[in-house]
């Protein structure tokens, strides 16, 4: 099992909307993530900088490479594109983070 961490950028004033959309996450998206081996997935917000910090456990990191091919993933990205920084394909601009400490 690997832990993957990343950061993204939320548009100012969109924290409540971001939370509301994730509180009502689509069941088919949850299923997709679980099917590729994602678990213990959390996203945190730094309200001062509007940076989102995500961390998840993944059975196989290479399985994440197939998510962009999924129609439900593309639909979710399009749905979220108006409230966060995105790439031309509507995927979130996401920067991987390197783990420097872990206490189990």
């Amino acid at each position: 099992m690997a832990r993957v961490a990343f950061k993204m950028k939320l548009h100012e004033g969109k924290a409540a909307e971001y939370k509301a959309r994730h509180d009502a996450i689509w069941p088919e998206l949850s299923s997709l993530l679980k099917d590729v081996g994602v678990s213990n997935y959390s996203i945190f917000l730094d309200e001062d900088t509007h940076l989102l910090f995500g961390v998840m456990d993944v059975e196989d990191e290479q399985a994440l490479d197939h998510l962009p091919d999924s129609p439900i993933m593309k639909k979710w990205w399009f749905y979220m594109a108006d409230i966060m920084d995105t790439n031309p394909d509507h995927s979130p601009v996401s920067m991987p983070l390197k783990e420097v400490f872990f206490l189990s």
Side-chain angles (χ1 to χ4, degrees):
M1 183 79 61
R3 275 201 331 250
V4 175
F6 55 92
K7 65 180 179 176
M8 303 175 291
K9 179 83 178 209
L10 188 63
H11 294 168
E12 188 171 348
K14 298 298 182 180
E17 181 61 24
Y18 186 88
K19 181 167 179 2
R21 291 182 191 187
H22 280 78
D23 285 347
I25 194 165
W26 305 333
E28 60 268 35
L29 180 57
S30 291
S31 293
L32 172 66
L33 294 172
K34 290 176 183 177
D35 288 348
V36 299
V38 173
S39 62
N40 297 318
Y41 186 4
S42 296
I43 302 173
F44 300 87
L45 172 64
D46 179 337
E47 293 178 327
D48 293 332
T49 64
H50 313 293
L51 288 175
L52 297 161
F53 166 72
V55 63
M56 66 179 100
D57 292 335
V58 183
E59 291 176 19
D60 175 8
E61 286 185 72
Q62 292 179 342
L64 299 176
D65 295 341
H66 301 289
L67 288 176
D69 300 327
S70 167
I72 193 63
M73 190 85 267
K74 290 177 184 179
K75 185 178 175 182
W76 180 259
W77 289 345
F78 184 79
Y79 176 58
M80 298 300 289
D82 64 321
I83 63 172
M84 61 190 308
D85 290 358
T86 61
N87 295 303
D89 67 353
H90 301 292
S91 65
V93 174
S94 179
M95 294 142 283
L97 298 172
K98 181 180 177 179
E99 184 175 295
V100 295
F101 175 77
F102 175 70
L103 176 67
S104 63

